[in-house]
């Protein structure tokens, strides 16, 4: 776990932040000063994040005429998401924070995904809160997900409802419906927005709609943007917060396939020669 550092708060309007996230197929980066987006870059090339990330950062600074010493801090999407991908932004962020001697703040990539989708809904005002449910595909019917509550306009309140985690999408749809239906009419959300990577999970969004007939359920495809990472990072910087660069790590929500297989093999070797065959048969049955 990374250690959090607290400083005296600053004025958000005066803060200039470099934001970076590589937890999804989109390499998202931005330079933001207060509420002004100086430059926002999206590059949909997941397999090339490691090649392009440093050059994207250099391009951002050069195109905007910004020197590293002008930055108030660096905001990094900490995941969850692609195991290999999210480590790239974290490694680059840690290095730049150390070299430039700048504060480093980590933000949830899922929160940035959800917050960005909500902010993109121009002039939408609701009397009752809206639940924002960001999802990223985690394969085998699983998603990286969490949930948030947004109220009023896009400038209104924003709070977390559920922790980031990896969940079966069908179970998650059941829980969201059950939680919403358990509330009194006046407390129910006006809508549930499932946002992010919907391609493989649209059927569960449709099922959630059928389970919640009195609530508007929307499936909104959305690609993570650097400006959302920056906005959440700016809030932390303005509150005087930062993370210890040396202990800063991604939010790993599960073991990699290689680690799982290594653990299975190690367990099989400890149990004896016959157990490896039995384990293989068990896996084939799933």
């Amino acid at each position: 776990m990374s250690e959090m550092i607290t400083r005296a708060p600053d004025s958000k309007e005066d803060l200039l932040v470099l934001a970076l996230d590589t937890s999804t197929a989109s390499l998202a980066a931005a330079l933001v000063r207060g509420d002004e987006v100086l430059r926002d870059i999206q590059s949909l090339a997941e397999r090339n994040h490691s090649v392009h990330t440093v050059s994207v950062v250099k391009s951002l600074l050069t195109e905007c005429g910004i020197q590293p010493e002008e930055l108030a801090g660096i905001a990094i999407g900490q995941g969850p998401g692609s195991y290999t991908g999210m480590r790239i932004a974290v490694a680059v962020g840690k290095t730049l924070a150390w070299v430039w001697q700048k504060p480093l703040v980590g933000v949830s990539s899922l929160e940035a995904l959800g917050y960005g989708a909500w902010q993109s809904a121009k002039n939408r005002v609701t009397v009752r809160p809206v639940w924002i449910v960001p999802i990223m595909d985690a394969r085998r019917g699983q998603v990286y997900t969490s949930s948030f509550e947004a109220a009023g306009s896009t400038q209104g309140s924003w709070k977390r409802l559920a922790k980031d985690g990896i969940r079966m999408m069908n179970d998650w749809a059941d829980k969201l419906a059950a939680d919403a239906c358990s509330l009194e009419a006046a407390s129910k959300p006006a809508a549930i927005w499932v946002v992010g990577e919907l391609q493989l999970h649209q059927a569960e969004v449709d099922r959630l709609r059928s389970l919640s007939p009195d609530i508007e359920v929307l499936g909104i495809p959305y690609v993570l943007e650097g400006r959302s990472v920056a906005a959440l990072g700016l809030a932390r910087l303005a509150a005087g917060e930062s993370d210890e660069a040396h202990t800063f790590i991604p939010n790993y929500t599960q073991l990699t396939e290689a680690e799982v297989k290594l653990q299975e093999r190690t367990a099989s070797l400890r149990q004896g020669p016959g157990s490896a065959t039995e384990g293989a048969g068990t896996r084939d049955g799933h």
Side-chain angles (χ1 to χ4, degrees):
M1 297 293 290
S2 58
E3 178 184 349
M4 190 178 78
I5 301 169
T6 304
R7 314 182 319 278
D10 297 307
S11 170
K12 178 181 175 181
E13 290 74 17
D14 299 331
L15 299 180
L16 175 64
V17 66
L18 168 68
L20 187 64
D21 190 292
T22 55
S23 64
T24 70
S26 171
L27 192 169
L31 267 175
V32 176
R33 178 183 282 112
D35 294 325
E36 179 187 6
V37 179
L38 304 183
R39 186 82 165 85
D40 197 348
I41 292 177
Q42 280 182 315
S43 174
L44 295 171
E46 184 174 12
R47 294 183 183 277
N48 293 315
H49 284 352
S50 60
V51 176
H52 297 306
T53 301
V54 173
S55 60
V56 164
V57 170
K58 290 180 178 178
S59 176
L60 273 175
L61 296 174
T62 301
E63 291 178 19
C64 296
I66 299 296
Q67 298 299 317
E69 54 266 26
E70 298 178 64
L71 296 172
I74 300 167
I76 298 296
Q78 206 168 353
S82 164
Y83 185 88
T84 300
M86 62 183 173
R87 290 188 293 178
I88 296 169
V90 167
V92 171
K94 291 175 67 166
T95 300
L96 295 180
W98 182 77
V99 172
W100 293 343
Q101 292 296 292
K102 293 294 179 180
L104 176 69
V105 289
V107 303
S108 161
S109 299
L110 280 169
E111 183 170 8
L113 182 64
Y115 186 74
W118 174 246
Q119 290 297 301
S120 69
K122 300 295 184 183
N123 302 318
R124 182 176 181 108
V125 179
T126 61
V127 176
R128 300 203 313 275
V130 171
W131 287 3
I132 310 294
V133 183
I135 64 171
M136 300 176 188
D137 181 56
R139 298 191 294 179
R140 301 188 182 93
Q142 301 176 112
V143 289
Y144 300 108
T145 187
S146 55
S147 62
F148 302 85
E149 182 181 270
S153 68
T154 55
Q155 301 303 314
S157 66
W158 175 267
K159 70 177 182 180
R160 179 180 288 275
L161 298 178
K163 293 180 179 180
D164 292 355
I166 186 167
R167 300 172 172 95
M168 294 299 300
M169 185 60 190
N170 58 345
D171 293 339
W172 187 223
D174 289 340
K175 178 168 174 49
L176 289 168
D179 288 350
C181 292
S182 69
L183 299 173
E184 297 292 333
S187 302
K188 287 185 179 182
I192 300 175
W193 292 11
V194 183
V195 305
E197 299 179 2
L198 302 184
Q199 300 95 321
L200 300 177
H201 306 286
Q202 186 60 53
E204 288 302 325
V205 176
D206 295 339
R207 194 171 67 85
L208 173 60
R209 185 179 297 113
S210 68
L211 292 172
S212 314
D214 56 343
I215 298 172
E216 181 185 32
V217 176
L218 299 178
I220 304 174
Y222 187 78
V223 178
L224 180 61
E225 295 180 285
R227 66 183 64 195
S228 305
V229 177
L232 297 173
L234 276 168
R236 290 198 62 198
L237 287 169
E241 298 176 3
S242 64
D243 295 307
E244 171 55 56
H246 294 291
T247 58
F248 187 74
I249 60 172
N251 176 13
Y252 298 117
T253 54
Q254 66 174 1
L255 297 175
T256 64
E257 287 189 41
E259 288 171 327
V260 170
K261 289 179 179 178
L262 177 61
Q263 287 191 355
E264 290 176 346
R265 180 174 174 77
T266 301
S268 296
L269 290 174
R270 288 174 178 170
Q271 293 170 10
S275 59
T277 303
E278 293 169 5
T282 302
R283 288 195 294 275
D284 288 341
H286 283 292

